[in-house]
Amino acid sequence: NAILSDMLVDYRADRAKVVQFHNGTHNLGGIPFRYFSITHESVGTGISSEISNFQDIPTSVLGSYAEQMINHELVRIPDVSAMTVNTFKQLLEQQGITGKCMYPLFDDAGRFVGYLGLDYVGRSIPSTANGGYICDTLIREAKTVQNVLFSSN
């Protein structure tokens, strides 16, 4: 969690977390359902922990954001209220999240296994002096998290 705690400061975030995908159950037709859950979390002062509330969420709520991450793309949601993926929007709003960044995590075999997330509660994602978003460099921490959690070396 030291990496996540450092990220709170470096990215001026309210919550930093690792979300991992896992197998769930099968429906009556035998089709598997996939889920995701927070496995690691660090929160800023006055921010609620969501790790116990954010378990076994169907991956379908991610909508097109999952496809972006599968394609190794950083997902930036500067304004949750403007989102069109309604189920995910509702989930974020329930946590008080108004801005969010997600960077995909992959294991050694190249499988998409989760994401590194930054949450901004009651405010948007901070911008940089050049007009980008502060989370645009999240790949550095994602590589570290991948090596710690998913590397077999």
Side-chain angles (χ1 to χ4, degrees):
N1 280 351
I3 296 168
L4 297 178
S5 295
D6 290 345
M7 288 174 58
L8 291 178
V9 175
D10 295 346
Y11 292 96
R12 301 192 312 258
D14 297 306
R15 187 180 297 113
K17 60 191 171 193
V18 173
V19 174
Q20 292 184 31
F21 297 107
H22 53 89
N23 290 330
T25 59
H26 293 80
N27 69 10
L28 294 175
I31 298 171
F33 286 103
R34 299 230 28 189
Y35 294 92
F36 60 97
S37 298
I38 296 176
T39 57
H40 302 78
E41 177 188 53
S42 184
V43 297
T45 304
I47 301 299
S48 64
S49 171
E50 293 294 332
I51 196 165
S52 61
N53 301 325
F54 204 88
Q55 299 295 310
D56 301 321
I57 308 296
T59 56
S60 59
V61 304
L62 290 171
S64 61
Y65 298 120
E67 187 173 328
Q68 285 179 259
M69 288 188 285
I70 287 170
N71 291 323
H72 299 256
E73 296 175 26
L74 168 68
V75 173
R76 291 173 220 83
I77 305 171
D79 181 4
V80 168
S81 67
M83 289 175 63
T84 57
V85 181
N86 291 326
T87 307
F88 193 43
K89 176 182 177 178
Q90 291 169 350
L91 184 65
L92 298 179
E93 288 176 337
Q94 288 170 358
Q95 300 173 69
I97 298 169
T98 50
K100 185 169 188 67
C101 294
M102 300 180 290
Y103 196 86
L105 298 171
F106 298 88
D107 66 10
D108 285 346
R111 293 177 297 227
F112 178 40
V113 293
Y115 68 84
L116 183 59
L118 296 175
D119 296 342
Y120 297 89
V121 178
R123 61 198 177 95
S124 60
I125 303 168
S127 58
T128 61
N130 65 3
Y133 291 105
I134 196 166
C135 63
D136 288 349
T137 59
L138 197 55
I139 187 171
R140 293 181 311 214
E141 282 74 13
K143 296 296 183 193
T144 302
V145 169
Q146 282 177 175
N147 289 336
V148 170
L149 295 178
F150 305 114
S151 179
S152 57
N153 298 332

